[in-house]
């Protein structure tokens, strides 16, 4: 989203949310809970294990050759870049 459009988008979203019934907003907010710290640590450990794997390393190396972590098409359209990668077993 262009920076110039962000303020208008946020204002519109806030207005839409503000039109919901108050009780519905309170119920929705109450339904959103943060995970327990132990669950966050377990997820982080699993993530670290997976990104160290050979398949993830190969995919990241390919992304870097395409301009990953630098201004350009790959960063702006990361979802497309990921979809274009060949599957690695």
């Amino acid at each position: 989203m262009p920076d110039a459009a962000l303020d208008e988008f946020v204002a519109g979203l806030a207005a839409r949310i503000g039109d919901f019934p108050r009780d519905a907003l309170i119920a929705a907010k109450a339904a959103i809970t943060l995970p327990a710290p132990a669950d966050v640590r377990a997820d982080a450990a699993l993530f670290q294990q997976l990104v160290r794997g050979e398949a993830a390393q190969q995919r990241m190396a390919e992304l870097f050759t395409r301009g990953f972590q630098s201004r350009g098409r790959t960063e702006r359209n990361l979802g497309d870049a990921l979809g274009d990668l060949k599957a690695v077993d």
Side-chain angles (χ1 to χ4, degrees), residues 16-36:
R16 285 178 40 211
I17 292 171
D19 286 340
F20 281 96
R22 185 174 190 279
D23 292 346
L25 293 172
I26 291 169
K29 187 175 178 180
I32 299 171
T33 60
L34 294 175

Side-chain angles (χ1 to χ4, degrees), residues 53-75:
E54 185 176 334
Q57 293 292 315
Q58 289 175 5
R59 290 171 64 85
M60 284 188 286
E62 177 60 26
L63 284 172
F64 278 109
T65 67
R66 296 179 185 195
F68 186 52
Q69 292 192 338
S70 61
R71 291 180 188 255
R73 181 189 166 282
T74 299
E75 280 293 313

